[in-house]
Amino acid sequence: MAARLKDVAALAGVSVRTVSNVVSNAAAVAPATRARVMAAVEELGYRPNLAARNLRQGRTGLIGVVVPEIHSPYFGALAGLLIDAAQERGWTVLLERTDGRADLERRLLDGSEGHQVDGMIVSPWSTSPAELASLAGGLPMVVLGELEPDGSIDHVALDNVAAARDAARHLISRGRRRVAAIGLQSVLGHGTAELRAEGFRQGLREAGLSPVAEVEVADLHRTEGARALRELLRLPEPPDAVFCFSDELALGALRVAAEQGVRVPEDLALMGFDDIEDGRFATPSLTTIAPDREQIAERAVQCLTERVFGRLDALPARRIVVPHRVLPRESTGAEISPV
């Protein structure tokens, strides 16, 4: 016979309401009590009837996750982490991609697609926070990424200026003085490239340096990284270090360096951004900026859960900045790193 809510309550020594609050994340529960309840849930193999619970509460049990790309290793990994964090809280995820197109972002948010969800986590490239809030029409929402928040929606982001500044500092600390960047994107409005460029320049200015060059790209993928490094290597004085605004750009550049006999890191230090798995397995392994993707996913899903259950209605929208770190690897002269 399947375990029931009251069986879990009896084993944990708490009330049925407390067990319900724990398994539905519907109210704050003391950590020790939560741990006791979850231990009882595991021991008894209890599985809540989420469909019935959501029906009683007027919810679908679905949340939407909207990302610009799925084929990108960064967004693919982030989407997986968001799904994991949502499932731990009993949500089912409806995953959508927009390719960064404003029309798709708006259509997915204004309800014209017909999806009934309890809330949304959105990584927009073309739609402002104010427009997002207007389109959502009061639907609980969390925004990911670099768009400047307007105070109406919870926002989980990375400090891209600080991260790119740290990248420049790392390259300079390796003795590099002719430093270039690959990754500017004037055609996109989501702000990532501008913020990373700003931080990169700040890091160079601290050392009394200016960029050798800053190459614009059509996207953040390998082909553009390869093209951009070919352009840099044609300069009368090519750079001795390049900061790429994504690991995919850096991997494309790494291939061109090998083709043209440019030794990495002896002739050229190369650094990326995102800490995708391919960078760890490249030869040489790729130095990168690693955002805390796990925390991005965890904080975003927790924020959305709290908003859906109405526990933060009286609080203003929050801006949560997650940490990052520099991961030195062989491409900037670090020792061989284990994979």
Side-chain angles (χ1 to χ4, degrees):
M1 182 177 177
R4 298 166 296 178
L5 207 65
K6 66 179 183 179
D7 300 324
V8 177
L11 181 59
V14 298
S15 69
V16 169
R17 178 173 290 278
T18 297
V19 175
S20 177
N21 287 338
V22 169
V23 298
S24 66
N25 279 296
V29 176
T33 303
R34 178 178 293 275
R36 199 161 69 247
V37 170
M38 292 310 296
V41 165
E42 186 68 24
E43 181 175 339
L44 295 173
Y46 172 73
R47 294 294 178 267
N49 187 334
L50 297 177
R53 186 194 77 196
N54 287 322
L55 185 63
R56 288 194 302 271
Q57 296 172 341
R59 301 188 183 96
T60 66
L62 291 173
I63 61 171
V65 169
V66 179
V67 294
E69 299 176 331
I70 296 297
H71 63 280
S72 157
Y74 175 81
F75 283 110
L78 180 59
L81 290 167
L82 286 165
I83 291 170
D84 289 344
Q87 289 177 341
E88 287 175 2
R89 292 166 172 81
W91 297 110
T92 297
V93 172
L94 178 66
L95 181 63
E96 297 279 4
R97 74 169 192 196
T98 64
D99 294 320
R101 289 170 46 188
D103 60 327
L104 285 179
E105 289 180 357
R106 292 169 185 140
R107 199 165 74 220
L108 287 168
L109 293 170
D110 68 8
S112 60
E113 292 295 296
H115 303 313
Q116 297 297 315
V117 295
D118 297 327
M120 300 191 78
I121 298 172
V122 185
S123 181
W125 274 4
S126 303
T127 312
S128 71
E131 189 173 5
L132 290 173
S134 174
L135 289 169
L139 183 74
M141 182 182 294
V142 176
V143 172
L144 308 180
E146 290 71 31
L147 288 173
E148 189 63 31
D150 70 344
S152 64
I153 306 175
D154 287 332
H155 188 193
V156 180
L158 180 73
D159 188 339
N160 275 283
V161 173
R165 186 169 60 239
D166 288 344
R169 288 170 175 169
H170 173 74
L171 292 171
I172 293 165
S173 75
R174 309 304 291 181
R176 309 301 167 133
R177 292 297 178 267
R178 299 192 313 279
V179 187
I182 294 174
L184 275 70
Q185 291 181 285
S186 61
V187 296
L188 289 179
H190 57 78
T192 302
E194 289 84 353
L195 293 171
R196 292 180 187 176
E198 180 183 344
F200 168 71
R201 294 164 190 156
Q202 286 181 12
L204 292 184
R205 282 198 300 269
E206 291 175 353
L209 301 174
S210 298
V212 168
E214 297 176 341
V215 183
E216 186 161 328
V217 296
D219 55 50
L220 298 177
H221 303 314
R222 291 169 175 83
T223 301
E224 283 293 277
R227 179 196 60 77
L229 188 64
R230 290 191 184 99
E231 181 178 324
L232 289 172
L233 293 178
R234 288 194 293 267
L235 294 174
E237 290 190 50
D240 62 9
V242 175
F243 169 46
C244 298
F245 290 5
S246 78
D247 282 354
E248 287 194 80
L249 289 172
L251 290 169
L254 190 62
R255 171 70 185 192
V256 167
E259 289 174 353
Q260 299 200 13
V262 176
R263 299 172 302 164
V264 177
E266 293 86 354
D267 304 325
L268 178 71
L270 197 58
M271 185 168 183
F273 199 118
D274 288 336
D275 188 29
I276 67 173
E277 186 177 28
D278 287 354
R280 297 196 291 276
F281 287 87
T283 302
S285 56
L286 184 63
T287 295
T288 189
I289 295 289
D292 192 335
R293 281 192 295 262
E294 290 80 4
Q295 190 168 151
I296 292 172
E298 179 67 23
R299 298 299 297 274
V301 173
Q302 185 60 36
C303 280
L304 187 65
T305 300
E306 290 167 347
R307 293 291 182 186
V308 169
F309 283 96
R311 298 207 296 271
L312 297 176
D313 287 346
L315 295 180
R318 297 163 293 177
R319 177 172 170 80
I320 298 166
V321 179
V322 301
H324 67 272
R325 59 190 175 121
V326 175
L327 290 181
R329 296 194 181 114
E330 296 164 298
S331 68
T332 58
E335 304 248 341
I336 293 177
S337 53
V339 294

